Amino acid sequence: MIKNLLYPAALFLLLTSCAKDDPFAPEQHDQKIVISPSNGNPGLGDSQEEPLGAALTLPQGIRIVERKYHPFDPDLRKLYAHANFFYVDINFVNDRMPGTPPVTVELPAGLIGVSSIHDKQNGLSIEKYLITVPPTKRYGGGRDTTTVYIGMACVNKNRSMPWYDNIGAEQVYPISRNNYPKFIVTSDPSLLKLLDLLKGHPGLKVNAHWDPVAAHEEDYVVPQWMKIHNQIQDVIWDITDGFGLTLGRMTELMEKLKPYR
């Protein structure tokens, strides 16, 4: 009799114990890591090293220069952004002869802006851009310069935001000028997997600026158009600073991205 009473209890304990460790249970399945963490890899997360990847290659006759005293131009036609935590300026000079055709510069997805200041974020661009750089014209002893702004996500969660020390009119824009002298194209396997998921969403193109000063106010309300960008940023930090991207988080993101295809 006692044996018969113990059997159902033992069976119940066995079944409930197995359920907790069942990899096919929904809650367990959602926690499966589908993109491994890159935390600690060079230039990502808490690493102070330079990110791994190939240096950005430019067409013959095109070079990037510093334009220290050129203020940020908020003209949205100059903004190339599918990520939206901050912008970097890139200043191109075309050294080809006047009268020659414009040159197209390709900025591939996975472009990382390497911060020259170690307490500021390195930045990641998530989309490919084609920039038209017209031929050089000379004014006196100088050359004209094509300046564009690239939207970046952050890949070092514990570093300072690149725009924190802006002054004057630039305080209300997430721009970091003259801080990114080097650009590389990432070779990090986990970031490449994420970029493959994010490509093909033209609706992510940023068509408005956000104000970092207003964002620190207690009554600040995140604009609806920014919420998807914030979610993308959180997923990137899952990879660069966390324990990797789970299936549940990836599934949620892909569902949210559907209207942006």
Side-chain angles (χ1 to χ4, degrees):
M1 181 67 176
I2 294 176
K3 182 178 179 180
N4 291 339
L5 289 173
L6 289 176
Y7 177 76
L11 181 60
F12 174 77
L13 289 173
L14 176 64
L15 291 174
T16 54
S17 175
C18 288
K20 291 180 181 177
D21 298 323
D22 181 3
F24 298 103
E27 64 275 11
Q28 297 291 330
H29 194 54
D30 283 350
Q31 294 305 310
K32 178 184 177 182
I33 298 296
V34 291
I35 299 184
S36 302
S38 296
N39 195 354
N41 287 359
L44 308 177
D46 293 328
S47 169
Q48 293 294 322
E49 300 174 78
E50 187 169 299
L52 296 179
L56 174 66
T57 57
L58 298 172
Q60 184 177 4
I62 302 295
R63 57 193 171 93
I64 293 175
V65 299
E66 184 182 69
R67 206 174 183 187
K68 189 173 182 180
Y69 300 107
H70 182 67
F72 173 65
D73 184 347
D75 185 343
L76 288 167
R77 292 173 296 181
K78 296 185 177 184
L79 177 63
Y80 296 80
H82 285 66
N84 193 41
F85 251 50
F86 68 98
Y87 317 146
V88 302
D89 61 328
I90 306 184
N91 310 295
F92 295 105
V93 168
N94 183 342
D95 285 324
R96 296 187 181 190
M97 292 294 293
T100 57
V103 175
T104 299
V105 177
E106 179 179 322
L107 302 181
L111 187 73
I112 290 184
V114 183
S115 176
S116 61
I117 303 174
H118 286 305
D119 72 337
K120 290 187 177 183
Q121 303 271 347
N122 293 325
L124 174 70
S125 175
I126 66 173
E127 187 55 86
K128 179 179 80 172
Y129 303 115
L130 300 177
I131 312 296
T132 300
V133 183
T136 295
K137 295 179 181 178
R138 296 178 183 272
Y139 299 95
R143 298 175 182 270
D144 61 338
T145 306
T146 299
T147 296
V148 298
Y149 306 99
I150 309 300
M152 295 279 182
C154 302
V155 295
N156 313 92
K157 188 174 184 178
N158 294 322
R159 294 193 195 179
S160 300
M161 293 301 166
W163 32 257
Y164 78 89
D165 56 356
N166 284 354
I167 59 175
E170 292 181 354
Q171 284 182 302
V172 297
Y173 298 104
I175 175 66
S176 181
R177 291 192 306 105
N178 300 308
N179 183 39
Y180 294 87
K182 181 180 292 188
F183 295 91
I184 65 101
V185 182
T186 186
S187 61
D188 183 84
S190 294
L191 288 181
L192 291 174
K193 287 181 181 178
L194 179 63
L195 291 169
D196 194 50
L197 295 176
L198 294 174
K199 70 180 181 181
H201 294 88
L204 289 175
K205 178 176 170 56
V206 176
N207 292 307
H209 298 298
W210 66 282
D211 181 347
V213 175
H216 281 82
E217 299 295 333
E218 290 185 6
D219 59 350
Y220 180 72
V221 176
V222 177
Q224 186 64 35
W225 66 267
M226 276 190 63
K227 291 181 179 179
I228 187 63
H229 295 286
N230 290 350
Q231 188 165 1
I232 290 171
Q233 178 62 75
D234 288 340
V235 165
I236 290 172
W237 276 335
D238 283 347
I239 295 170
T240 62
D241 292 76
F243 299 102
L245 181 61
T246 65
L247 178 61
R249 292 269 282 176
M250 184 188 74
T251 302
E252 179 187 9
L253 176 63
M254 298 312 293
E255 187 66 27
K256 294 285 183 64
L257 283 172
K258 285 182 179 180
Y260 298 91
R261 289 176 180 170

